[in-house]
Amino acid sequence: MRRVMAVVLFLFWVIPQANAWGNKGHELVAYIAYMNLDPMIRPKVDALIQLNPCFAEWKTAVSSLPAAQQPVALFMLAATWPDKIKLTAPQSNTPYDCPGHPVFSITDGANGPDGHFSADIPPNIPEASQNIGYGDDRRHKYWHFIDTPLSGDGTATLPALEPNALTELILLAQALGSQEDPALKSYDLVWVEHLTGDIHQPLHDVQRFTKALPTGDEGGNLVAICSSSQPDCRAELHAYWDDLPGSDSSLSATIKMGLQLNKQAAPDDPTIDIDHPEHWVSAAVDLAKTDAYAPPFNTSTKQVDPSTISAGYHAKAVQDMRKQVFIAGNRLAKLLNNGLKN
């Protein structure tokens, strides 16, 4: 039975998304946040969302929903915008682009330890953490995670680079509470939405170093999940966790799931703890240690056979996802209620 379950789960997440919780997870966080916004804050949020370059596209996407659901659905789609531009190829138009986006730079990144250029490595220049709004030609792919180092077997580690998800969440949340231009505040809003979701996915908060992966596993992205007989392995640990919210990404299905999650008792202010997002990261790192890197992912290996992933591992991962999405939504609501109150 465990082998059958593993094969079913493998088919479920075989195509990696490389986004925290995937689009559905970010939309769930946004749904819970919107439902917990103060009534005076919702119109401000709605107005800021309209300033995003993709707003016309989102309006079309939500047009088939009941009118009462459309404002929250627009907010949900806005939470995925940073991943949309991440998937937009520099200096070219793709299906992920929207009119009004700049031509994105091909030099927004740096060389890694192996000497090769990577857009996931922040360049050591002020532009890496700049906050200039939708005219920014940098996609800031390195904003989506923080590589808190873990050693799986005593292998030496490398420190997390800056800027990262935590440094930018703090910076942009502070800017959201300032008297800046509405267009810039709109940019800050969608990034705060997204980064709050990102840092609640445990594998967006860590990088593990092992003898098999001495320069790091990129938050599980380099840990393949496939049998030795598969010539083309496309699944990996990071995508496994990204896809835990489920495969039905329709807005109506996501709203239905968000409604159920939001029936839980709201966490108290000390648990939400908006003054210390570094505590959110620390808690997610602990989940990565105990649950994401639990057997069969606790060894020094680049590849795990899906038949070895137990139903118990998956059940605990789903439990973690539901907990993390719910608290992320409540924290995002508190950030926006606080930042947009004036």
Side-chain angles (χ1 to χ4, degrees), residues 215-229:
T215 60
D217 73 345
E218 297 181 4
N221 275 294
L222 300 183
V223 180
I225 303 178
C226 55
S227 66
S228 57
S229 62

Side-chain angles (χ1 to χ4, degrees), residues 36-39 41 332-342:
N36 288 281
L37 290 177
D38 293 340
I41 299 298
L332 175 58
K334 193 74 173 181
L335 279 176
L336 300 184
N337 285 335
N338 185 66
L340 297 174
K341 64 185 177 183
N342 296 322

Side-chain angles (χ1 to χ4, degrees), residues 126-146:
E127 288 82 0
S129 58
Q130 68 187 4
N131 181 24
I132 60 173
Y134 293 120
D136 193 346
D137 68 353
R138 296 176 182 271
R139 295 175 295 161
H140 300 293
K141 293 180 69 174
Y142 39 81
W143 284 5
H144 293 258
F145 53 88
I146 173 172

Side-chain angles (χ1 to χ4, degrees), residues 264-301:
Q264 302 174 65
D268 57 22
D269 284 346
T271 300
I272 292 176
D273 192 20
I274 64 166
D275 294 325
H276 299 97
E278 68 275 13
H279 295 170
W280 312 350
V281 171
S282 296
V285 169
D286 289 341
L287 286 178
K289 292 178 182 177
T290 60
D291 297 349
Y293 289 120
F297 298 102
N298 61 327
T299 60
S300 178
T301 182

